[in-house]
Amino acid sequence: MKLERVILRQIRMPLLHFFETSFGRTFERHMILVEAQGDGMSGWGEVTAGENPFYNEEWTDSAWMILRDYAAPRLIGRVLAGAEEVYPLTAHIRGHNMARGGLETAVWDLAARLEGVPLWKKIGGGARREIPCGVSIGIQDSVEQLLEKIAGELASGYQRIKMKIKPGWDVDVVRQVRERFPAIKLMADANSAYTLADAEHLRRLDDFYLMMIEQPLGHDDIVDHAELQAKLATPICLDECIRTAHHAEQAIKLRACGIINIKLGRVAGFAEARRVHDVAQKAGIPVWCGGMLEAGIGRAHNVALATLPNFVLPGDVSASRRYWKRDIIQPPVETTARGTIVVRDQPGFGYALDHEYIAGLTVREESIG
Ligand code: OSB
Ligand code: MG
């Protein structure tokens, strides 16, 4: 496949409700869609960077510059034997995995479309026909609101609830959720809001038999997580810390986690996501697919990823309607009453793009090559 042109489009999509994590509230997403053109077809990717450099070092504008000035120029005009070649070709860029991943996933989609096969097949997935789904629920203005939201998501069929926590919204809130919902699969995500000095406080969460506690400590600190894990009965799940398969190896060797959340953008795309998956699988560590408030392209890519065999836990991949009044794909991503997403068999990421809607949402566009 010869990559001839890369088109970047930045779109603006207001969220139906704000989403609050320990690092702040998001009201509106600004995401970059990557169209990779080659051999007469287009593949599509979505950059999962946030609007600010708070989850990791990237944000929409940094990703735009990395893609335009570094990643896309490295690929344009090249004949690629396969999409696996994208990761090493952009590996000279330090960090900026989400920018790299937006392009990498677009090339995987292109490769699948050129062969006329679904993306899940192209990446070697297909271990399941339905993806088990959970939801991630942000920090709310009141516990009552949180309980109501959880009840609504359970009524929709979702299989597990993840609640965001931060200092001041943690043990007491989790206790109230547990009292109201004694039997649900429940977990908490701190997005790096604590330090080892909070170990005794975090240990109180052991009373609530959570499935896991996600990324309690520093975004880049595997060693402290190992020390904390030794003190906790609840498994730690690493998110921010795992940017490469090597990080996964180190975390497992140090016993810093019992579970890994894999996000395509955080690890720069499908090739490295598969390697993280394989490292975890070999060590007997289950994984699940994380989310970054994606629009339809990113959501569909997540569904494909979650068909790999070791994605055995419900992920943060949920229906488009939880976030968007209207999604950029047709049909939108929908869930069954069993709390699953049925994997589609159409070529590439499996959904149709709503080009007219995308054009209306586009605030800047640039063609490279
Ligand atoms: O840590 O998983 C996270 C959203 C933004 C930044 C970080 C995270 C999240 C989520 C959202 O939890 C999950 C979703 O997309 O539904
Ligand atoms: Mg997380």
Side-chain angles (χ1 to χ4, degrees):
M1 123 187 84
K2 183 171 178 193
L3 210 72
E4 278 133 20
R5 180 173 294 280
V6 172
I7 300 168
L8 304 178
R9 291 179 183 83
Q10 185 176 326
I11 61 169
R12 245 179 83 170
M13 289 176 83
L15 288 162
L16 279 175
H17 311 283
F18 69 81
F19 190 86
E20 183 172 334
T21 66
S22 60
F23 52 79
R25 280 187 181 181
T26 304
F27 293 87
E28 181 178 77
R29 296 291 335 275
H30 294 233
M31 56 276 265
I32 299 169
L33 306 184
V34 182
E35 179 180 356
Q37 295 182 341
D39 297 357
M41 293 192 92
S42 286
W44 291 76
E46 180 178 324
V47 176
T48 62
E51 291 62 49
N52 297 290
F54 300 159
Y55 167 82
N56 66 356
E57 82 283 1
E58 301 184 80
W59 74 103
T60 314
D61 288 343
S62 73
W64 186 277
M65 288 189 275
I66 291 286
L67 280 161
R68 182 192 62 195
D69 298 339
Y70 296 95
R74 267 300 259 224
L75 295 187
I76 286 162
R78 255 182 218 274
V79 177
L80 303 173
E84 307 77 27
E85 294 188 357
V86 176
Y87 186 92
L89 280 169
T90 60
H92 64 300
I93 300 166
R94 191 148 300 173
H96 301 283
N97 285 355
M98 291 172 166
R100 293 172 62 199
L103 180 56
E104 203 253 16
T105 53
V107 176
W108 277 99
D109 183 50
L110 173 62
R113 284 170 196 272
L114 287 169
E115 267 178 47
V117 299
L119 182 55
W120 58 260
K121 193 171 264 178
K122 187 72 196 157
I123 63 164
R128 57 192 65 80
R129 302 292 305 167
E130 290 184 29
I131 303 305
C133 302
V135 289
S136 175
I137 302 183
I139 292 161
Q140 305 294 312
D141 288 328
S142 70
V143 175
E144 204 38 59
Q145 265 179 29
L146 175 63
L147 295 173
E148 236 170 73
K149 278 222 160 158
I150 293 173
E153 304 292 8
L154 293 169
S156 300
Y158 285 105
Q159 298 184 15
R160 75 99 170 93
I161 300 292
K162 161 167 137 183
M163 54 182 286
K164 293 287 187 178
I165 57 169
K166 66 175 182 182
W169 181 273
D170 49 30
V171 176
D172 287 338
V173 185
V174 173
R175 175 180 297 111
Q176 292 175 72
V177 171
R178 236 339 159 210
E179 277 168 9
R180 172 83 177 271
F181 304 103
I184 62 170
K185 286 184 181 160
L186 180 66
M187 59 174 290
D189 184 359
N191 287 111
S192 303
Y194 299 91
T195 70
L196 263 187
D198 302 308
E200 280 313 303
H201 181 66
L202 291 170
R203 219 149 75 105
R204 295 167 62 201
L205 290 172
D206 277 346
D207 291 347
F208 310 114
Y209 44 99
L210 301 177
M211 289 178 87
M212 67 196 93
I213 171 168
E214 185 176 342
Q215 195 70 37
L217 309 181
H219 70 98
D220 56 355
D221 196 331
I222 292 173
V223 173
D224 275 5
H225 278 103
E227 202 171 325
L228 179 64
Q229 182 67 93
K231 295 179 174 162
L232 295 183
T234 308
I236 288 176
C237 169
L238 290 178
D239 173 355
E240 282 90 330
C241 273
I242 308 299
R243 295 156 164 252
T244 63
H246 187 59
H247 288 150
E249 284 167 356
Q250 293 179 318
I252 291 165
K253 188 154 47 166
L254 292 173
R255 299 180 198 278
C257 64
I259 298 169
I260 293 175
N261 157 344
I262 302 183
K263 290 178 178 168
L264 275 172
R266 201 191 64 225
V267 302
F270 282 110
E272 193 69 1
R274 285 196 313 200
R275 288 189 281 268
V276 174
H277 166 275
D278 294 351
V279 163
Q281 187 173 35
K282 254 188 218 120
I285 300 276
V287 304
W288 52 275
C289 184
M292 289 298 291
L293 314 176
E294 287 93 343
I297 298 170
R299 220 161 268 281
H301 283 165
N302 288 342
V303 172
L305 180 68
T307 71
L308 291 173
N310 195 32
F311 281 82
V312 291
L313 298 172
D316 279 349
V317 187
S318 57
S320 301
R321 62 184 300 169
R322 293 190 60 248
Y323 292 109
W324 317 117
K325 195 163 153 212
R326 176 175 167 188
D327 205 341
I328 59 172
I329 55 168
Q330 268 298 330
V333 174
E334 283 166 338
T335 51
T336 66
R338 305 178 286 287
T340 64
I341 294 169
V342 177
V343 178
R344 289 164 65 89
D345 287 330
Q346 286 82 350
F349 66 74
Y351 295 77
L353 282 159
D354 188 339
H355 290 285
E356 199 182 306
Y357 188 46
I358 290 171
L361 297 171
T362 299
V363 296
R364 72 170 149 165
E365 183 170 336
E366 197 166 333
S367 175
I368 304 143

